[in-house]
Amino acid sequence: MSLWERSRIVAVCGAAVVLAAFVAAPAASAAEVEQVVNGGFDNGTDPFWANAGMTLAASDGRACVDVPGGTANKWDAIVGQNDIDLVAGESYRFSFDASGDPGRGVRAVVGLAVDPYDTYFEQSPVVGGLQHYSWTFTASTTTAQGQVAFQLGGSAEPWRFCVDNVSLVGGVPPEVYEPDTGPRVRVNQVAYVPNGPKAATVVTTATSALPWQLRDSGGRVVAHGRTTPRGVDVSSAQNVHSIDFGYFGRKGTGYTLTADGETSRPFDIDASAYAKLRSDALKFYYTQRSGIAIDDALRPGYGRPAGHVDVAPNLGDGNVPCQPGVCDYRLDARGGWYDAGDHGKYVVNGGISVWELLNAYERHPGVRKVGLTVPESGNRTPDVLDEVRWELEFLLRMQVPAGKPYAGMAHHKMHDAAWTGLPLLPHLDPQPRELHPVSTAATLNLAATSAQAARLYKPFDPAFAKRALAAARTAYAAAKANPALYAPESDGVGGGAYNDAKVSDDFYWAAAELFLTTGERQYSADVLSSPEHTADVFGAGAFDWGNTAAAGRLALALVPNRLPGLAAVKASVVAGAEKYLTTQRQHAYGVPYAPANNMWDWGSNSIILNNMVVIAAAHELTGRDRYRDGVLTGLDYMFGRNALNMSYVTGYGEVSSHNQHSRWYARQLDPALPNPPVGTLSGGPNSSIQDPYAQSRLTGCVAQFCYIDDIQSWSTNELTINWNAPLAWIAAYVADLR
Ligand code: 9MR
């Protein structure tokens, strides 16, 4: 049954919608103060209010409202109460009882009642039969103009919502969040490679070496030794030891490691998991596709109608206008992949994702034969090229047509005019779609990837290769003519900003790919004169959507070419890899990542994986095992050798991320929807915890602990096309090792 059908059946049958983890209200203490007036509706409905056209009526000691259908936004239909006092740093318990037509999403908010209507805390339960809801959060702001609100809009159909016992109690003890981190012996819960390194980390108060035992699935000790005390690990603030059992190479399943009285989660010694990961990580992209129905026969449980194909309530991507005042034409911007858990499509980010997948294709022969069960499978073109083409065609559609201002440039992005709530299947998104201004960075993303495509698709579709190369040349020339059109940070309403005000890296990357495809001197001259060519581009993180110089450097080092001074280019990649190995050696969890001030970045998992891509490149350039070992050790972190004792890839390892922030894999909010597909990478620890949910649980967290597997945590637990790309790249590298 498709995702969409199951979702409808729940709505029709009225099956129970149960939200996990309701916290029982603790006993009131003297200091606790109720902020909501008449929350039990024992005296009518005042001072609650409802938007125009809605009548909130008290009946049986609760309040009910008929919510009109046909509104676009959650906030188009609100029931709320104003004049709520909030004090920064004080903790509040927000609770209520609610019921409604099954399957309807409610955005319950504590925020600011006046412009700019900041949200201090929000939750999005899907209601049904009467349920009690309760959460504790800490206010970030002091105001007398707070608001408690239930945002009920965004539904095509009218529906009925009832609420009772609305309460916001201040002065409650802050909720202390203790992640369940399981046994203190941390291993790669998926698999160690038989002839590769094998290391584990033990969290302990002991300061001197401890004995350890490795047991096979029958419980027999097959190896033993002593731990190495490592002191306090900066990234977790834990006292840890490490275990090295690399010499043990017998293939098998169900091994465990014991030390300090704790036994690890089980793991395998076997490389085959990584071939499966290679295809799972690549299959992720089909279900991110926009503009095409997802065939349930190809992805059981994930079928859904086509999103954004101009069928109501979608306003479609077939004929998209610019934001007001930005341009006077419309573009057919159908297709492509949805960026992440949102429905936006961004050229900057589509670009790095395409580049990395095509680079994996070019560098790892095994990728060419991987079957992805996509609609195009069997068409004599490698499946991975079919999948990436879906995005490339979108990127090409974002180029400004000849004869228009900025012809040849690419629009930075297109997405909803306003942010939507969760859950929301792509074909049900009612928001108008808009093209945002062109940018130099987007134009160079188009140039780099279409140049790369021209090289790689040529044997399979010479006409497409020719079209791609023409677009790349045009884009590159347009970027040179408009070298400083930057996407601003402020353009983040309804979609991410992907702001990027440094484009020397994008110029370098695009020139490199154009040179590799054409061999032309005009492009090699730009590569050689770029300040990026000799800069140390291997910082704490090597490359990402906003920093693409290292991607250009890697391509130059590894794709055969005749650039003068190639030996230095290759040496710089090996030197970069050495830096990451040094970081990894110093890190008791074996992570090749140590950002300044221990501030782990948004999407840290992808940054770590991209640093591993650099290490793998050094392996290819030198053939030296130390680099292969570095990559394999990095994988251990991703799959459970970490402070939280969890794998960040859905379906891999005993305990793995599975509630990533997504509008359509929103099972945590609506049991009729699925979790993200197996092989989906979570963004991972993010020291800045920008979302209110993470703030309510993780404030004060140390690096590795700044993560929570909850759908509300968009800053630590989203999924994106640019994060699964390095996962696929690394899996492809490991799968090809022998
Ligand atoms: O991955 C992006 C991260 O590097 C930025 O710091 C952040 C804020 O601009 O945006 C992240 O990207 C999000 C994008 O803006 C919208 N789609 C979801 C992306 C992942 O969270």
Side-chain angles (χ1 to χ4, degrees):
M1 196 186 301
S2 75
L3 184 162
W4 165 233
E5 285 162 337
R6 281 189 292 148
S7 156
R8 280 172 63 100
I9 282 176
V10 165
V12 172
C13 304
V17 176
V18 180
L19 202 84
F22 298 115
V23 184
S29 82
E32 295 188 358
V33 180
E34 177 62 71
Q35 308 294 320
V36 170
V37 178
N38 188 30
F41 301 100
D42 299 325
N43 303 302
T45 61
D46 282 349
F48 284 88
W49 50 266
N51 279 159
M54 295 162 64
T55 308
L56 187 69
S59 69
D60 303 334
R62 59 185 184 150
C64 296
V65 63
D66 288 315
V67 183
T71 61
N73 305 299
K74 282 280 174 210
W75 55 87
D76 291 340
I78 310 183
V79 168
Q81 181 172 131
N82 291 353
D83 303 323
I84 301 281
D85 271 327
L86 293 168
V87 177
E90 181 154 318
S91 294
Y92 293 82
R93 185 171 57 248
F94 178 33
S95 63
F96 54 88
D97 298 329
S99 63
D101 291 354
R104 303 290 174 186
V106 173
R107 186 162 176 250
V109 178
V110 180
L112 188 61
V114 294
D115 198 22
Y117 303 103
D118 291 336
T119 299
Y120 305 132
F121 182 77
E122 68 171 285
Q123 288 286 323
S124 296
V126 174
V127 294
L130 186 66
Q131 293 243 5
H132 179 66
Y133 299 88
S134 177
W135 303 277
T136 302
F137 71 98
T138 303
S140 53
T141 307
T142 298
T143 179
Q145 293 183 299
Q147 177 185 86
V148 165
F150 301 96
Q151 299 186 358
L152 309 167
S155 161
E157 311 292 326
W159 64 289
R160 191 163 171 80
F161 171 72
C162 295
V163 68
D164 196 4
N165 299 323
V166 182
S167 165
L168 183 72
V169 177
V172 302
E175 203 171 280
V176 182
Y177 171 67
E178 285 272 357
D180 176 5
T181 54
R184 288 182 287 104
V185 181
R186 306 291 159 74
V187 298
N188 177 335
Q189 296 171 23
V190 175
Y192 294 90
V193 171
N195 63 351
K198 293 167 204 77
T201 300
V202 187
V203 181
T204 175
T205 51
T207 49
S208 51
L210 298 164
W212 59 260
Q213 299 86 34
L214 174 69
R215 287 189 170 76
D216 66 15
S217 56
R220 259 173 316 162
V221 175
V222 291
H224 59 91
R226 292 184 81 75
T227 63
T228 305
R230 301 289 301 266
V232 174
D233 162 57
V234 173
S235 71
S236 63
Q238 295 167 323
N239 186 65
V240 295
H241 294 195
S242 53
I243 291 174
D244 178 357
F245 60 111
Y247 62 87
F248 184 86
R250 197 186 310 147
K251 252 177 97 166
T253 59
Y255 287 104
T256 54
L257 263 180
T258 302
D260 200 22
E262 297 263 316
T263 296
S264 74
R265 292 187 172 136
F267 58 89
D268 296 352
I269 297 180
D270 187 355
S272 63
Y274 298 107
K276 181 179 181 304
L277 179 65
R278 174 178 59 192
S279 60
D280 286 343
L282 290 167
K283 282 179 169 177
F284 163 87
Y285 291 88
Y286 172 53
T287 39
Q288 287 295 117
R289 284 193 197 183
S290 177
I292 186 173
I294 303 306
D295 185 348
D296 203 62
L298 301 180
R299 290 293 184 283
Y302 289 88
R304 59 170 170 81
H308 299 97
V309 285
D310 306 349
V311 174
N314 275 176
L315 298 175
D317 285 2
N319 196 23
V320 185
C322 278
Q323 289 178 302
V326 168
C327 75
D328 66 356
Y329 52 86
R330 289 168 174 257
L331 288 184
D332 172 359
R334 281 174 303 174
W337 300 314
Y338 296 117
D339 188 56
D342 61 328
H343 300 139
K345 301 191 294 194
Y346 311 82
V347 173
V348 167
N349 207 41
I352 194 70
S353 311
V354 162
W355 179 84
E356 195 152 19
L357 294 174
L358 289 183
N359 188 264
Y361 167 83
E362 191 165 29
R363 303 264 305 284
H364 308 308
V367 170
R368 297 172 200 175
K369 295 183 216 93
V370 173
L372 298 181
T373 50
V374 289
E376 302 81 7
S377 291
N379 67 355
R380 291 165 191 270
T381 299
D383 283 359
V384 66
L385 292 189
D386 287 327
E387 187 56 65
V388 174
R389 175 102 174 239
W390 193 262
E391 178 72 4
L392 276 165
E393 294 285 2
F394 162 73
L395 298 178
L396 291 163
R397 288 189 182 114
M398 292 292 277
Q399 193 165 27
V400 178
K404 296 291 178 191
Y406 298 118
M409 299 287 285
H411 287 273
H412 197 69
K413 55 179 187 163
M414 63 90 50
H415 55 68
D416 292 341
W419 283 108
T420 54
L422 275 68
L424 185 66
L425 281 146
H427 69 287
L428 298 178
D429 172 15
Q431 279 291 320
R433 310 277 275 176
E434 291 174 335
L435 293 166
H436 290 241
V438 299
S439 72
T440 307
T443 304
L444 292 165
N445 269 260
L446 176 64
T449 53
S450 52
Q452 188 192 22
R455 180 166 83 239
L456 299 175
Y457 286 77
K458 198 169 174 192
F460 306 100
D461 189 341
F464 174 63
K466 206 170 153 201
R467 174 158 69 94
L469 186 56
R473 289 183 187 280
T474 306
Y476 189 74
K480 283 183 94 167
N482 301 280
L485 292 178
Y486 304 136
E489 191 174 1
S490 55
D491 190 11
V493 176
Y498 282 119
N499 47 301
D500 189 358
K502 176 175 180 279
V503 295
S504 55
D505 52 333
D506 305 290
F507 270 110
Y508 177 64
W509 176 45
E513 286 294 348
L514 274 157
F515 166 68
L516 292 171
T517 297
T518 65
E520 288 172 16
R521 190 162 291 173
Q522 53 166 326
Y523 300 121
S524 60
D526 285 358
V527 165
L528 294 170
S529 64
S530 166
E532 303 286 355
H533 191 52
T534 46
D536 178 2
V537 294
F538 301 104
F543 61 96
D544 59 30
W545 63 265
N547 301 285
T548 53
R553 188 77 64 81
L554 289 174
L556 290 168
L558 286 152
V559 178
N561 70 87
R562 296 182 176 189
L563 189 77
L566 214 47
V569 171
K570 294 179 180 179
S572 76
V573 172
V574 175
E578 276 302 324
K579 276 210 311 208
Y580 297 130
L581 286 191
T582 302
T583 301
Q584 181 175 56
R585 261 195 312 274
Q586 290 165 351
H587 198 300
Y589 278 100
V591 190
Y593 180 53
N597 305 319
N598 204 27
M599 287 297 287
W600 284 39
D601 206 351
W602 195 320
S604 63
N605 283 337
S606 73
I607 299 173
I608 293 163
L609 285 162
N610 278 334
N611 290 353
M612 288 156 61
V613 167
V614 178
I615 302 172
H619 183 220
E620 193 174 332
L621 289 168
T622 66
R624 294 179 66 190
D625 284 353
R626 57 193 276 106
Y627 301 115
R628 181 205 60 173
D629 291 354
V631 176
L632 294 173
T633 299
L635 269 186
D636 299 341
Y637 167 80
M638 224 39 78
F639 291 121
R641 185 191 174 195
N642 54 48
L644 295 175
N645 197 3
M646 66 184 296
S647 156
Y648 289 109
V649 180
T650 308
Y652 280 77
E654 285 269 304
V655 175
S656 67
S657 302
H658 58 280
N659 289 319
Q660 287 94 327
H661 177 83
S662 163
R663 282 168 177 68
W664 60 106
Y665 307 129
R667 188 179 175 83
Q668 194 187 343
L669 299 175
D670 182 349
L673 296 172
N675 286 113
V678 165
T680 300
L681 181 74
S682 167
N686 170 4
S687 299
S688 301
I689 50 169
Q690 286 89 342
D691 65 85
Y693 187 77
Q695 286 163 6
S696 76
R697 303 250 124 175
L698 305 175
T699 294
C701 59
V702 174
Q704 281 202 58
F705 283 103
C706 300
Y707 172 80
I708 188 160
D709 184 27
D710 191 287
I711 195 164
Q712 310 279 349
S713 183
W714 42 262
S715 71
T716 78
N717 194 36
E718 193 156 353
L719 51 86
T720 76
I721 56 173
N722 62 315
W723 298 342
N724 248 61
L727 180 68
W729 197 106
I730 288 293
Y733 163 83
V734 176
D736 274 0
L737 288 173
R738 54 201 74 252

